[in-house]
Amino acid sequence: MATISLQVNGTQHVVDVEPRTLLVEASREHLRLTGTHVGCDTSQCGACTVRVDGKSVKSCTMLALEAHGAAVTTIEGMATNGKLHPMQEPSTNATACSAASARPAW
């Protein structure tokens, strides 16, 4: 096990993870932030996209250890003053795929 410290959505966390744990797994399983998804298992869909120190990263390809000391923003952290960010709004497009709620365009 390895201990990492990271700030997620403005809150500091210290988490024990296996060295092979992906950032998406740490977010979902250790921090219970389930808005970030593994949608395709190939890193193509963007459902796992988070911001790490302000840069968009596919968290299904990044080890949690690599985020040690970083500031991470997940989809849950996008709201401002209780107002949903457009990325958090449900898709109303009838042709949208099921992973559309995880729009990777930030």
Side-chain angles (χ1 to χ4, degrees):
M1 288 292 236
T3 301
I4 60 170
S5 175
L6 62 164
Q7 184 182 51
V8 181
N9 301 331
T11 303
Q12 194 66 35
H13 295 274
V14 176
V15 182
D16 292 325
V17 295
E18 293 288 335
R20 66 180 180 271
T21 301
L22 296 171
L23 182 56
V24 68
E25 296 167 336
S27 172
R28 291 181 62 81
E29 297 168 18
H30 295 276
L31 301 178
R32 302 289 184 226
L33 297 171
T34 58
T36 304
H37 296 274
V38 177
C40 66
D41 288 326
T42 63
S43 78
Q44 298 298 311
C45 73
C48 65
T49 304
V50 298
R51 287 186 182 166
V52 177
D53 290 334
K55 296 180 182 177
S56 291
V57 172
K58 292 184 179 175
S59 62
C60 70
T61 63
M62 182 178 192
L63 293 172
L65 291 174
E66 295 177 281
H68 177 67
V72 178
T73 304
T74 68
I75 192 70
E76 290 92 343
M78 299 293 293
T80 305
N81 297 324
K83 182 176 183 207
L84 292 180
H85 185 278
M87 300 244 331
Q88 294 172 304
E89 294 287 338
S91 177
T92 57
N93 181 347
T95 62
C97 68
S98 62
S101 63
R103 300 171 202 142
W106 13 302

